Amino acid sequence: MTVFEPRIVGFLCGWCAYEGADAAGRARKTYPAHLRIVRVLCSGRVDPQFVLEAFRQGADGVMILGCHPGECHYKEGNLQALKMTAILKKLLGQCGIQEERLRLDWVAAGEYGKLVKIVGEMVEKVKSLGPLRLREDGGGINSALTRH
Amino acid sequence: MSDLSQLKTLSRGKKPKIALCWCSSCGGCEESVFDLAEELVDIMAVTDIVFWPAALDAKYQDVAALADGEITATLVNGAIRMEHQEEMARLLRRKSQWLIAHGACAHLGGVVGLANFHGSADLLNRAYQEIPTVHHPAGICPFGEAPDGAGQVGKRGFYETVLPLNRMVAVDFYIPGCPPPPELVKEGLMMVLEQRLPPAGTILGKRQALCQSCPRRGSLPETLRLKEFSRMHQVTWDAAACFLAQGIICLGPATRGGCQARCLQGNMPCRGCFGPLDLVRDQGAKSLSFLASLADSADPEDLQRFADSIPDPGGLFYQFSLAASLLKGKADDQKNNH
Ligand code: SF4
Ligand code: SF4
């Protein structure tokens, strides 16, 4: 049996969490290599399309990491991310994707300890959920689509 | 009408061949053609309609007998769910110079695409067994194994996933709407007949959001913050004011305009049948993000109340486009719960 190594896509705000990941590196702390980081200008920039596209392209989990409430460089981009995530999780549930596959959290530039911890937690969580298999995009006579 | 009488002189020689076909559809798109009324008679006078199951007795073989590219244009409405629909779409694609997706189902999967929230086995079971008005002890499913072991009952495939037309064959342009306004159907036909075809992939309608052409837009505020959404039966609403401003969900800001705001004029908020604007990959995600941004508080309890006031986000955001969305529908439960 092959071990399931999940793919986690992380959208990290360049003002805080991304700095935190850098700080982890400088402090020679390691976090699981399952995380593929995409730097964004603000967690509020994360369009729900980005999250869905990540799942479609093979992510088993998605993290959005922004600045703590009250510390957003653009005042309330992180609160927008919070509002968007609240509804997106509900939608994911309807689409058969467990809510825990999407995690929004706050990481300040110096909090590399927290970053290492929550990425580890996310990897464990997604490992326990198993690989995500979306509905196939194909179809038709020339594909191996299930038929009845 | 002048444009059509002009056409008569244009096409005095050989009449262009036209075909219409329905796949997984409700028939409403066919209505949008019949609603052309007298103009339909004019169009029929200048064209040769070679295939139209809703109105003519032409068969598969009649289309198959035509040379490739012999049909000038074919309008296909409905999504693709069954093998014979795919076969028809491929045949018509081969025989037609122009293939036009007619209506939301052909364009985006449409309402029938909502079936992608369920597995095909559940759907068939529901339709042929569980429905309270069905009494069917033999339990024969037209797509399954025959109960006496006599093999497959039906020959034709029932696909696991509903797909929009362009996942199967190349589509030249799209007439959006559920159903499209007859004026837009006419515009699509005139484009073909007058040989002024739009660039490949064009979606007829406007390139701006519906709000731009909505008669209620005067009262759409610059910024809007809401504690929660109300449903129409819960509040007394103003029949002329912007729905969103009244806390009633309207998808106009994330929907392509060009429908003449028919629903808005009939006191119904927009549900998105014209699909997303150019460059938007996933219509539901766009509706989600603009509605979420209206929440007036990020406090967990307030946010919960706000989210609860959208009871069925999937059905609302993807009423017409689930089959064309990034997720395509519900993930495979069997595979995900091991
Ligand atoms: S687009 Fe609407 S009117 Fe046309 S077939 Fe689909 S459901 Fe019916
Ligand atoms: S939100 Fe709806 S009612 Fe308001 S202007 Fe836009 S389309 Fe019209």
Side-chain angles (χ1 to χ4, degrees):
Chain A
M1 206 187 93
T2 50
V3 189
F4 166 53
E5 300 294 353
R7 276 174 292 196
I8 314 283
V9 171
F11 296 102
L12 273 60
C13 163
W15 297 99
C16 54
Y18 192 84
E19 292 288 320
D22 260 356
R26 281 195 301 273
R28 311 224 170 266
K29 301 283 179 204
T30 51
Y31 54 84
H34 304 81
L35 182 71
R36 325 269 166 107
I37 297 178
V38 179
R39 180 174 176 263
V40 288
L41 272 178
C42 173
S43 55
R45 175 64 183 91
V46 181
D47 189 304
Q49 288 186 122
F50 298 178
V51 177
L52 302 181
E53 184 75 54
F55 283 129
R56 175 47 73 194
Q57 290 199 23
D60 301 295
V62 173
M63 300 183 86
I64 304 172
L65 303 178
C67 305
H68 286 267
E71 288 173 17
C72 173
H73 193 77
Y74 309 100
K75 291 207 173 87
E76 50 176 53
N78 50 359
L79 301 185
Q80 289 299 339
L82 185 60
K83 295 172 187 175
M84 183 277 281
T85 309
I87 302 180
L88 182 54
K89 281 187 173 234
K90 216 172 145 178
L91 174 68
L92 292 179
Q94 281 184 293
C95 294
I97 299 173
Q98 300 91 337
E99 290 184 10
E100 300 97 315
R101 291 190 190 267
L102 173 63
R103 178 167 176 169
L104 170 72
D105 217 321
W106 317 128
V107 179
E111 286 183 315
Y112 60 80
K114 179 173 181 184
L115 181 99
V116 170
K117 179 173 155 279
I118 63 176
V119 172
E121 286 170 6
M122 183 71 177
V123 171
E124 285 316 307
K125 180 83 235 171
V126 176
K127 272 188 182 169
S128 75
L129 293 173
L132 176 66
R133 294 214 172 74
L134 294 184
R135 185 173 276 260
E136 305 273 336
D137 185 13
I141 288 166
N142 299 323
S143 80
L145 206 71
T146 331
R147 285 190 218 145
H148 289 269
Chain B
M1 12 145 327
S2 59
D3 44 1
L4 278 166
S5 46
Q6 227 178 352
L7 264 182
K8 278 177 200 160
T9 52
L10 275 177
S11 65
R12 204 164 276 145
K14 231 166 124 204
K15 288 181 179 178
K17 289 190 170 63
I18 302 288
L20 295 99
C21 183
W22 52 7
C23 294
S24 269
S25 105
C26 75
C29 282
E30 301 287 341
E31 278 301 324
S32 72
V33 180
F34 291 119
D35 282 349
L36 290 170
E38 290 83 359
E39 292 178 337
L40 180 58
V41 178
D42 293 339
I43 289 171
M44 291 177 88
V46 294
T47 57
D48 182 7
I49 301 185
V50 293
F51 184 72
W52 187 6
L56 300 179
D57 190 22
K59 300 277 191 272
Y60 179 94
Q61 286 76 2
D62 301 317
V63 180
L66 297 171
D68 286 0
E70 194 176 335
I71 302 174
T72 305
T74 295
L75 269 76
V76 176
N77 70 78
I80 309 287
R81 155 119 259 173
M82 319 254 294
E83 192 174 327
H84 73 267
Q85 294 164 350
E86 173 178 0
E87 218 172 294
M88 213 54 233
R90 290 194 189 281
L91 177 70
L92 286 164
R93 171 69 278 185
R94 218 171 44 243
K95 302 293 175 187
S96 315
Q97 291 162 37
W98 294 88
L99 191 77
I100 303 162
H102 171 198
C105 293
H107 174 202
L108 301 162
V111 172
V112 301
L114 286 171
N116 287 355
F117 275 129
H118 307 270
S120 59
D122 291 347
L123 289 169
L124 292 173
N125 194 37
R126 178 83 190 144
Y128 294 102
Q129 297 297 326
E130 290 174 0
I131 294 205
T133 49
V134 167
H135 177 67
H136 183 37
I140 299 168
C141 170
F143 301 96
E145 294 283 326
D148 57 1
Q152 289 286 118
V153 178
K155 286 200 198 88
R156 299 299 197 179
F158 182 82
Y159 296 159
E160 184 61 32
T161 297
V162 176
L163 296 165
L165 185 63
N166 66 6
R167 296 284 152 147
M168 227 32 112
V169 290
V171 171
D172 293 301
F173 69 92
Y174 301 80
I175 305 176
C178 180
E183 295 77 8
L184 213 58
V185 176
K186 183 184 151 197
E187 171 66 3
L189 284 168
M190 293 302 286
M191 282 174 149
V192 169
L193 299 177
E194 296 174 350
Q195 294 285 308
R196 48 179 178 90
L197 292 154
T202 296
I203 300 159
L204 303 191
K206 294 190 191 302
R207 302 190 71 188
Q208 296 89 21
L210 170 60
C211 294
Q212 298 287 326
S213 50
C214 172
R216 299 169 186 247
R217 72 180 290 221
S219 47
L220 174 67
E222 195 64 43
T223 47
L224 183 61
R225 288 284 179 268
L226 297 168
K227 289 200 177 341
E228 62 187 323
F229 292 108
S230 310
R231 303 188 66 186
M232 290 185 81
H233 64 275
Q234 295 168 327
V235 287
T236 318
W237 37 270
D238 181 333
C242 168
F243 280 112
L244 270 185
Q246 304 181 65
I248 294 167
I249 293 177
C250 179
L251 300 181
T255 302
R256 180 183 300 276
C259 56
Q260 299 149 354
R262 290 174 301 174
C263 296
L264 286 304
Q265 295 190 41
N267 267 330
M268 284 299 293
C270 172
R271 284 295 173 260
C273 77
F274 262 51
L277 288 154
D278 291 348
L279 305 182
V280 172
R281 176 71 187 79
D282 189 291
Q283 180 179 19
K286 277 295 165 207
S287 294
L288 187 158
S289 63
F290 98 79
L291 287 174
S293 73
L294 301 179
D296 83 332
S297 157
D299 172 81
E301 246 173 62
D302 294 344
L303 202 48
Q304 188 59 51
R305 178 156 34 101
F306 183 83
D308 287 347
S309 72
I310 309 175
D312 174 17
L316 175 69
F317 303 152
Y318 292 112
Q319 186 166 337
F320 301 95
S321 66
L322 186 65
S325 70
L326 283 161
L327 297 181
K328 299 281 165 311
K330 196 162 185 230
D332 192 325
D333 272 338
Q334 254 101 49
K335 287 192 199 141
N336 281 335
N337 298 328
H338 13 191

